[in-house]
Amino acid sequence: MSNMAVYTTVLTAYIVVLVAMGIWMGRRTRNAEDFYIGGRQIGPWVTAFSFVAAYFSSVVIIGGGAFGYRFGMSTLWVAASNVLIGCTLAWIVLGRRLWEFTKRLDTMTIPGFIGKRYGSREAEIFSAVIIFVFMIVYNVSVLVGMGRIMEGLMGIPYTTAVIVAGLIILIYVSIGGYLAVVWTSFVQAWIMLFGLFLLAFATLSRVGGLTAANIQLAAIDPGLVTTPGVWGWSGLMSYALIVSLGVWGMPQLLVRFYSMKSTRVLRLGVVLATLGGAMAILPYMTGAISRILLPTLEHPDLAIPKLAQLVLNPWGGAIFMAGVMAAGMSTFASVLIIVSGAITRDLRGNQEERKGKKRRPQSDRRDVMIGRVASLAAGLISLAIAYRPPGLVLVITAFAWAVIASACLWPVVLGVYWKRANSAGVFSSMIAGTVVALGWMIAGKPFGIHGFIPGVFISLVVLIVVSFMTPPPDAALISRAWGEGEV
Amino acid sequence: MTGPFGFSWGTFAALLVVAGTVLLAIVWAIVTATRDDDDKGGGDE
């Protein structure tokens, strides 16, 4: 059997399973709540592993590997911050509160939560626009990662790879909605974990073990095994914070908390998500080691695909490719649902609710249909941009995450912890955070610091200062959000 | 100075943070389960 036949067989089998799951879940999707948050019926295993799959996309595998290749073992600190801040602390600090608040406020999107918690339609629309635009940018980086791995391993043109991957996801998301996303993500997380372990094991075997790898890396450049090493503190800290603290403002990850069937899901879920998240070590480490085996790569994004080609046999390579595709697809699919929600729920608004009318069954059917069309449209826009990729995978991701987190992180976190946070504070914080993050990056990242850091910092300061300078939020609004007075 | 597996100590500490985080998650899950049982709370199931 030729290499191409092996890859095609594995990939086809994998795709058939995904599309079948999409169609199956589509039959269980009856209303907008099913489409966007799975009817709030998701248990701990699926919540945790779909969180991990949505978090660690092809971006972390391809982009993280590329950073490991360039900067060496100090990138393990990025993985450590992913696990501690991006997984465990996010679950502990936000999980329970977001579940309770979104349930009380009867909302199924982050802009919807912001709008209802602060009583601000402006903040809702602004966050929905930011999410719509920059989630599409993020999706482009995910598609680029998938295209690169298919190009590197199968030798098919990048553009063909991107179109094939993108269209498959569009089919199962537009049919199956959130239920298809979480269940396919659950399966994809396991394929991704298996693929990463396979590559790490084969790579370590090839270089003679971890100690030998570090000795050989130190011989190339001692800065490849020390911290901050060749990267420097500003670059390392910036990226570590973007891809870990950034999670706290990322709607496609936060949605996992309010789609849980109860807060009891958090107990087992936090342990599973932490264990799954610990796999973030693997792409950074194997990327760093690939420098020994592939010393003259023309593009760091090719480190992991070329490494897989070098150290794995065709079946292993095909399984690993399925793993990276799984990582990319699960993230892309999760983001599509969020973008769809931003258009149909937040920008368009719930017309009947605003007019004080009772919902009708045909409205549910119409909302699901509009959600399907919106997710399809968002996916096609991402595909069109990814056709001619604008830069390094992790750089595009960091750009999109920086803006979304600068706009949404503190409105979400303080929204569930600080009663004094009000609509004026949150709206000015979102605008200030977005402008500063974008401005900082357009100015060429002064002092080597990424726009995320000043964006998130200014957003926090403005939210606190403006909230104190303006009247407190309406007491009824706070009572409803905090569930005060409930029996 | 070289730490375990040829890492520098500064880099090896990242792996210790990951191990410590797993421990933190387990402890939190146990504490929460105990507290919820005492409160008979923890959300509707």
Side-chain angles (χ1 to χ4, degrees), chain A residues 285-469:
Chain A
M285 191 178 70
T286 44
I289 298 173
S290 70
R291 183 83 172 252
I292 300 164
L293 298 168
L294 303 159
T296 52
L297 273 183
E298 61 200 57
H299 199 300
D301 272 354
L302 292 173
I304 294 292
K306 291 291 179 194
L307 183 70
Q309 205 174 34
L310 183 72
V311 301
L312 297 173
N313 65 25
W315 284 101
I319 292 169
F320 178 72
M321 186 179 70
V324 180
M325 294 296 287
M329 287 176 156
S330 53
T331 304
F332 189 94
S334 304
V335 170
L336 278 188
I337 288 287
I338 296 300
V339 173
S340 165
I343 301 168
T344 59
R345 308 294 305 175
D346 307 317
L347 290 179
R348 182 174 152 267
N350 189 334
Q351 309 296 334
E352 284 162 349
E353 194 177 300
R354 285 186 208 301
K355 289 172 189 165
K357 291 180 185 170
K358 201 178 169 186
R359 285 194 66 72
R360 295 165 301 173
Q362 57 267 42
S363 305
D364 271 336
R365 284 196 295 276
R366 189 194 59 205
D367 281 358
V368 171
M369 181 52 68
I370 292 170
R372 285 182 169 144
V373 172
S375 60
L376 205 62
L380 289 173
I381 295 170
S382 309
L383 259 176
I385 302 172
Y387 199 74
R388 288 185 186 279
L392 264 179
V393 166
L394 203 54
V395 175
I396 311 172
T397 302
F399 176 79
W401 276 47
V403 180
I404 297 169
S406 298
C408 298
L409 195 154
W410 295 118
V412 169
V413 177
L414 295 187
V416 295
Y417 276 99
W418 193 37
K419 292 179 180 176
R420 188 66 177 75
N422 65 12
S423 59
V426 85
F427 191 48
S428 22
S429 150
M430 288 171 131
I431 292 173
T434 306
V435 169
V436 169
L438 277 173
W440 195 274
M441 289 185 285
I442 289 166
K445 298 182 210 164
F447 315 110
I449 296 170
H450 199 279
F452 172 86
I453 307 284
V456 167
F457 177 72
I458 292 295
S459 161
L460 174 64
V461 171
V462 170
L463 205 163
I464 294 172
V465 171
V466 176
S467 290
F468 272 128
M469 288 168 61

Side-chain angles (χ1 to χ4, degrees), chain A residues 77 88 99 214 225 227 263-264, chain B residues 5 8 10-11 21 41-42 44-45:
Chain A
W77 274 106
T88 313
W99 185 86
N214 277 319
V225 292
T227 298
T263 55
R264 288 173 202 276
Chain B
F5 303 108
S8 71
T11 306
T21 306
D44 52 351
E45 226 168 352

Side-chain angles (χ1 to χ4, degrees), chain A residues 83-100:
Chain A
V83 184
L84 175 64
I85 305 170
C87 286
T88 313
L89 290 181
W91 276 65
I92 292 173
V93 174
L94 293 175
R96 188 186 192 104
R97 294 231 171 188
L98 261 184
W99 185 86
E100 289 172 347

Side-chain angles (χ1 to χ4, degrees), chain A residues 73 76-77 80 83-84 88-89 92 96 99 103 210-211 214 225-227 261-264 266-267 270-271 274-275 278 281, chain B residues 4-8 10-11 13-15 17-18 21-22 24-26 28-29 32-33 35-37 40-45:
Chain A
M73 291 292 185
L76 289 179
W77 274 106
V83 184
L84 175 64
T88 313
L89 290 181
I92 292 173
R96 188 186 192 104
W99 185 86
K103 198 170 169 69
L210 195 50
T211 308
N214 277 319
V225 292
T226 55
T227 298
K261 65 179 171 188
S262 80
T263 55
R264 288 173 202 276
L266 287 168
R267 295 178 200 163
V270 71
V271 178
T274 305
L275 288 172
I281 291 170
Chain B
F5 303 108
F7 286 110
S8 71
T11 306
L15 298 178
V17 167
V18 174
T21 306
V22 173
L24 169 70
I26 294 169
W28 183 83
T32 309
R35 189 189 59 197
D36 284 352
D37 287 346
K40 299 219 183 287
D44 52 351
E45 226 168 352

Side-chain angles (χ1 to χ4, degrees), chain A residues 76-330:
Chain A
L76 289 179
W77 274 106
V78 180
S81 65
N82 285 165
V83 184
L84 175 64
I85 305 170
C87 286
T88 313
L89 290 181
W91 276 65
I92 292 173
V93 174
L94 293 175
R96 188 186 192 104
R97 294 231 171 188
L98 261 184
W99 185 86
E100 289 172 347
F101 276 65
T102 52
K103 198 170 169 69
R104 286 188 209 115
L105 295 171
D106 189 24
T107 177
M108 52 183 101
T109 63
I110 287 298
F113 162 74
I114 290 171
K116 286 188 174 175
R117 156 63 182 87
Y118 295 101
S120 169
R121 177 76 179 138
E122 294 79 16
E124 181 179 0
I125 290 175
F126 186 82
S127 56
V129 169
I130 292 291
I131 285 167
F132 172 73
V133 173
F134 290 95
M135 276 288 158
I136 284 180
V137 174
Y138 177 41
N139 252 357
V140 170
S141 69
V142 175
L143 275 175
V144 174
M146 286 192 284
R148 292 269 183 247
I149 194 84
M150 287 173 85
E151 180 188 32
L153 280 177
M154 292 179 76
I156 60 174
Y158 163 83
T159 45
T160 311
V162 161
I163 290 171
V164 170
L167 288 180
I168 293 158
I169 308 166
L170 284 180
I171 292 169
Y172 75 74
V173 172
S174 57
I175 296 173
Y178 186 79
L179 284 170
V181 169
V182 285
W183 277 98
T184 50
S185 295
F186 175 69
V187 173
Q188 286 162 333
W190 288 101
I191 298 171
M192 180 169 74
L193 286 170
F194 183 71
L196 280 171
F197 272 109
L198 195 68
L199 182 66
F201 182 76
T203 306
L204 285 170
S205 302
R206 181 66 74 98
V207 296
L210 195 50
T211 308
N214 277 319
I215 291 168
Q216 291 173 73
L217 278 175
I220 296 170
D221 183 341
L224 291 174
V225 292
T226 55
T227 298
V230 293
W231 204 352
W233 283 116
S234 59
L236 177 60
M237 296 282 285
S238 292
Y239 274 93
L241 279 175
I242 295 166
V243 294
S244 51
L245 185 61
V247 168
W248 296 33
M250 287 300 132
Q252 83 279 15
L253 299 170
L254 299 178
V255 66
R256 298 297 187 272
F257 298 137
Y258 47 89
S259 63
M260 298 182 303
K261 65 179 171 188
S262 80
T263 55
R264 288 173 202 276
V265 169
L266 287 168
R267 295 178 200 163
L268 180 57
V270 71
V271 178
L272 296 173
T274 305
L275 288 172
M279 75 101 199
I281 291 170
L282 299 175
Y284 291 104
M285 191 178 70
T286 44
I289 298 173
S290 70
R291 183 83 172 252
I292 300 164
L293 298 168
L294 303 159
T296 52
L297 273 183
E298 61 200 57
H299 199 300
D301 272 354
L302 292 173
I304 294 292
K306 291 291 179 194
L307 183 70
Q309 205 174 34
L310 183 72
V311 301
L312 297 173
N313 65 25
W315 284 101
I319 292 169
F320 178 72
M321 186 179 70
V324 180
M325 294 296 287
M329 287 176 156
S330 53

